[in-house]
Amino acid sequence: MYLMPKQSDLMQLTGEPLKTHLRSALQNLTRGSSDYDLNADRHSFNQRDLRGAAVLIAIQIQDDIPHIILTKRSSALKNHPGQIAFPGGKIDACDSTPIQAALRETQEEIALSPTKVDVLGSLPDHITITGFRVTPVVAFIEGSFNPVPEVGEVDEVFRVPFDFLMHPSNYTICRRRFMGYDRQYYTVPYGPYYIWGATARMLRAFADCF
């Protein structure tokens, strides 16, 4: 039987103990997240109109420390240029599950082979303000991996320490004018990287596992 570690010990987990904790925690999550969580009065989406997408929250052990892999989208893209995102994308007809979509898109974007991935589970779906229902798939990268950014899609691939992203105190709520109204959103800046919006919200939901 799996015994939950004490809160003070959670951030010390790595390797198999961390995997065990996350598998158990992910099985017990039921509430999804949304870009509307901080803007309840602007809840305006129709469940039937949402398009499916999936992203990979890939954890890699580097120098004995777990990190999460993120990408900086190409500045040449029409949608969300230069923004920080998880690898992933729309679910295509060829994808039998969101997990398969996340793995396929991740291989295309950063050259991570599915054979190097140990999927632990998924967070409940996240609804974006742009009309997507995103499934965040959580996985461990097995062995060595050197990402190769997809030309024209990804400008940069970088890693953020898992411990940093799992501390709610590192998240702040900001506000900006969007489509005629003030919108609040999560941010979790790290070095030169401004992580915000849907990516920050999904990471904040992930931190709730701890």
Side-chain angles (χ1 to χ4, degrees):
M1 181 178 67
Y2 174 69
L3 297 177
M4 185 72 72
K6 295 179 180 178
Q7 184 66 30
S8 60
D9 296 332
L10 285 174
M11 293 306 170
Q12 306 302 317
L13 297 179
T14 188
E16 291 301 326
L18 179 57
K19 285 186 185 182
T20 299
H21 170 73
L22 290 177
R23 282 197 179 97
S24 177
L26 291 170
Q27 289 175 359
N28 296 319
L29 297 178
T30 57
R31 182 182 177 184
S33 59
S34 166
D35 287 352
Y36 298 94
D37 287 346
L38 300 176
N39 307 277
D41 59 327
R42 296 293 175 176
H43 188 288
S44 61
F45 63 87
N46 187 323
Q47 293 280 355
R48 292 175 297 180
D49 296 335
L50 296 173
R51 294 164 288 176
V55 297
L56 192 70
I57 303 180
I59 302 169
Q60 182 178 25
I61 304 298
Q62 194 172 46
D63 298 326
D64 296 324
I65 299 173
H67 293 72
I68 289 179
I69 291 181
L70 292 170
T71 71
K72 183 177 181 181
R73 290 169 57 84
S74 170
S75 57
L77 290 173
K78 180 180 178 181
N79 297 316
H80 310 294
Q83 291 189 10
I84 304 304
F86 298 109
K90 290 185 289 187
I91 298 175
D92 290 343
C94 63
D95 300 314
S96 59
T97 65
I99 291 176
Q100 184 176 348
L103 295 178
R104 175 184 57 76
E105 285 280 349
T106 298
Q107 185 170 27
E108 293 174 3
E109 292 183 3
I110 66 173
L112 173 60
S113 170
T115 61
K116 285 183 169 287
V117 176
D118 181 8
V119 174
L120 306 181
S122 299
L123 292 170
D125 290 345
H126 175 86
I127 307 301
T128 74
I129 200 170
T130 52
F132 284 94
R133 182 194 302 277
V134 183
T135 301
V137 178
V138 180
F140 250 72
I141 297 176
E142 302 292 347
S144 61
F145 167 63
N146 294 312
V148 180
E150 182 182 13
V151 177
E153 294 286 335
V154 177
D155 277 348
E156 185 180 354
V157 182
F158 63 98
R159 300 170 178 84
V160 181
F162 182 84
D163 178 61
F164 177 84
L165 294 173
M166 294 302 104
H167 272 289
S169 61
N170 290 325
Y171 291 77
T172 59
I173 295 175
C174 294
R175 183 189 302 268
R176 68 182 294 187
R177 198 75 176 169
F178 181 74
M179 296 180 66
Y181 69 90
D182 288 335
R183 174 194 169 198
Q184 296 187 94
Y185 55 92
Y186 283 101
T187 70
V188 55
Y190 178 74
Y193 305 107
Y194 187 68
I195 308 167
W196 70 288
T199 301
R201 181 65 189 96
M202 285 184 272
L203 283 168
R204 182 63 181 79
F206 191 26
D208 287 341
C209 291
F210 288 85

